[in-house]
Amino acid sequence: MNLNEAYFFVAKSLTISFQEKNKKMIISDIKKNNVNWDQIVRVSTKHKVLTTLYCIFKRKGVLNFLPRELVEYMKEISQINRERNNEIIKQANEINKILTKNNIRPIFIKGAAYLLQNLYYDISERMIGDIDLICSRDDYQKVIDILKNDGYEPVIKKENRYPEFKHYPRLVKNKRIAAIEIHKELTIEKYSDEFNYGLIIQDIQNENNVSYLSFENQLNSSIISSQVDDYAFYYKNLDLKNAYDVILLSKKINKKISFSKFKKIKYILNCFLAATNYTFGEIDSLKYTKTKETEKYLNQFIILNKNQKKKILIDELKYKKLYYQNMIYFICGAIFKKENRKYLLNRMIEKIRFNKYL
């Protein structure tokens, strides 16, 4: 079993709770000793789904077929993650209480929202990095000031920070487990006119005085966060943790998924569904619209991901191209944006001071 085969094995394994054909295939492969568990651990760790895999295998009685040492390892990691996630839930509720006391309604997004809403069967399944929340532009600076007054401070203490379009630089607090990202935008500037606070505020969910996006917008946000903001669409990547989030969210929506309200970003969202269905097997709740464009993207996705050596070379070239494109875009943006000009000027001054002592 090579890495590519391990990737598809992990993807199919994540669906065995609701895809009987995948369950039969996975158990059959295990019984036939067709599984390289070192590769499975490598892939599931990279995609941050090792704990998800453990919990699903445990629920479906698959752990009995795994090596005992592997089961113990997965169990230990899952327990550590459960303890961490319990602390994250406490921290998120604490933040919500502080902000609502100041008449501000934070809207939790991404992983923190999934934990608070119990999207996963077991809280140890989902690995969480930061606590992400979004607020209105009017409340944005207030939220920053309130949390700073409560003891939060920037992870990187720099006077000259790179101007962030979406969110304030990550904040941390002593004796709190997670960093906080305070968003004023949900995606990069190019698509912010289509997916933004004004759109999502129209159908916000509120449970026990905690606010979240609608399940439909959580699904949109999850795809956009990975495919657009993290450039997965550009590189033709599919992150298994992110895709599994979308699959679970799709089962919360009582209608066919529609991207009709979008124009520019619709094609990217549809291509994601095509790649997800190919990788995980046909998912009933993730039907996509087949077009020449999506089929072309899917063919390229399949070809590239079957030839990892070729993909690595192409990704390196794409990275360089993207780096210079973003740099040019930022410099050109300095003509219209004061924060860009200020950052560039301070960078030049820093370089002059540094060179003076060489």
Side-chain angles (χ1 to χ4, degrees):
M1 176 179 276
N2 58 34
L3 273 177
N4 190 56
E5 291 167 336
Y7 173 82
F8 284 98
F9 179 90
V10 172
K12 298 292 193 302
S13 296
L14 293 172
T15 70
I16 64 173
S17 295
F18 45 83
Q19 296 281 88
E20 190 61 29
K21 62 177 182 180
N22 284 350
K23 180 183 176 182
K24 290 178 180 177
M25 183 189 72
I26 293 301
I27 293 177
S28 175
D29 282 345
I30 294 173
K31 286 182 175 180
K32 291 176 182 176
N33 292 320
N34 292 337
V35 182
N36 183 325
W37 291 110
D38 288 338
Q39 296 285 49
I40 298 304
V41 170
R42 185 176 173 185
V43 170
S44 58
T45 301
K46 177 184 176 183
H47 287 263
K48 298 182 177 67
V49 292
L50 181 69
T51 53
T52 319
L53 209 58
Y54 170 76
C55 291
I56 292 172
F57 279 175
K58 182 180 179 181
R59 285 200 300 276
K60 304 307 290 184
V62 181
L63 289 180
N64 297 328
F65 303 108
L66 273 60
R68 185 179 298 177
E69 296 81 3
L70 174 59
V71 173
E72 288 301 314
Y73 172 72
M74 296 171 82
K75 181 180 179 180
E76 182 180 353
I77 297 298
S78 296
Q79 182 57 35
I80 292 170
N81 197 48
R82 177 179 285 105
E83 292 168 3
R84 173 181 166 79
N85 283 349
N86 274 319
E87 290 301 312
I88 288 175
I89 290 170
K90 290 178 186 176
Q91 186 179 354
N93 282 319
E94 179 185 80
I95 291 166
N96 186 66
K97 187 175 180 180
I98 292 166
L99 294 177
T100 52
K101 191 182 290 186
N102 284 274
N103 298 315
I104 294 171
R105 179 170 71 169
I107 301 165
F108 290 94
I109 57 176
K110 301 194 228 182
Y114 306 153
L115 275 189
L116 291 165
Q117 286 186 297
N118 295 311
L119 179 66
Y120 280 72
Y121 185 86
D122 186 322
I123 65 164
S124 70
E125 290 186 46
R126 181 55 153 80
M127 288 191 168
I128 309 292
D130 304 330
I131 296 174
D132 292 86
L133 60 88
I134 187 169
C135 57
S136 68
R137 283 182 168 272
D138 290 340
D139 288 334
Y140 181 63
Q141 190 57 52
K142 295 177 192 174
V143 172
I144 294 167
D145 293 340
I146 289 167
L147 291 182
K148 282 186 174 180
N149 288 335
D150 189 58
Y152 283 90
E153 55 185 17
V155 174
I156 301 174
K157 298 176 176 63
K158 287 177 67 176
E159 291 184 13
N160 188 37
R161 292 195 187 93
Y162 187 88
E164 295 279 2
F165 175 75
K166 287 200 309 174
H167 57 75
Y168 193 75
R170 295 161 75 236
L171 298 173
V172 290
K173 182 179 178 180
N174 188 34
K175 296 184 179 180
R176 298 298 183 274
I177 200 162
I180 311 299
E181 280 194 354
I182 306 164
H183 290 247
K184 64 180 188 293
E185 298 288 350
L186 286 161
T187 187
I188 60 174
E189 192 169 4
K190 182 178 180 181
Y191 300 108
S192 62
D193 60 333
E194 287 196 342
F195 193 56
N196 50 43
Y197 185 84
L199 174 74
I200 59 99
I201 197 63
Q202 297 173 27
D203 53 5
I204 289 297
Q205 300 183 68
N206 192 284
E207 299 172 14
N208 301 318
N209 207 32
V210 182
S211 297
Y212 319 95
L213 309 184
S214 66
F215 286 122
E216 185 177 355
N217 279 326
Q218 285 187 59
L219 182 145
N220 293 331
S221 175
S222 188
I223 299 174
I224 292 167
S225 174
S226 174
Q227 294 293 300
V228 175
D229 302 347
D230 294 338
Y231 302 105
F233 177 80
Y234 177 74
Y235 289 110
K236 292 182 174 60
N237 291 336
L238 187 72
D239 178 75
L240 296 181
K241 180 183 74 170
N242 171 252
Y244 187 61
D245 287 342
V246 173
I247 291 171
L248 293 185
L249 288 166
S250 72
K251 295 184 179 300
K252 297 284 188 179
I253 301 170
N254 298 319
K255 58 182 178 179
K256 183 180 178 181
I257 294 169
S258 173
F259 302 130
S260 58
K261 60 187 171 186
F262 301 117
K263 292 182 180 179
K264 292 185 292 184
I265 210 167
K266 183 178 179 180
Y267 167 63
I268 296 174
L269 298 172
N270 205 37
C271 287
F272 171 88
L273 296 189
T276 301
N277 267 289
Y278 170 77
T279 303
F280 286 77
E282 292 295 321
I283 307 295
D284 291 338
S285 57
L286 282 184
K287 299 296 183 184
Y288 70 98
T289 305
K290 292 186 179 182
T291 64
K292 288 182 180 179
E293 291 78 12
T294 54
E295 295 308 293
K296 180 181 178 181
Y297 175 88
L298 183 57
N299 286 334
Q300 292 173 343
F301 173 85
I302 294 169
I303 291 168
L304 277 177
N305 284 280
K306 279 185 176 178
N307 190 337
Q308 286 297 308
K309 289 183 179 179
K310 181 179 179 181
K311 190 175 189 308
I312 289 169
L313 292 173
I314 292 174
D315 284 355
E316 287 176 356
L317 292 174
K318 283 186 173 182
Y319 175 82
K320 290 177 182 178
K321 180 182 178 182
L322 185 65
Y323 173 80
Y324 288 113
Q325 281 179 340
N326 286 342
M327 185 171 64
I328 292 168
Y329 179 80
F330 182 84
I331 292 170
C332 291
I335 298 170
F336 306 101
K337 298 178 181 178
K338 183 179 178 181
E339 62 268 26
N340 289 31
R341 292 196 296 274
K342 183 179 177 182
Y343 175 79
L344 289 172
L345 178 61
N346 287 334
R347 284 284 290 168
M348 286 189 283
I349 292 171
E350 286 172 4
K351 284 195 173 185
I352 290 169
R353 287 173 177 168
F354 178 75
N355 291 332
K356 182 179 178 181
Y357 294 102
L358 290 180

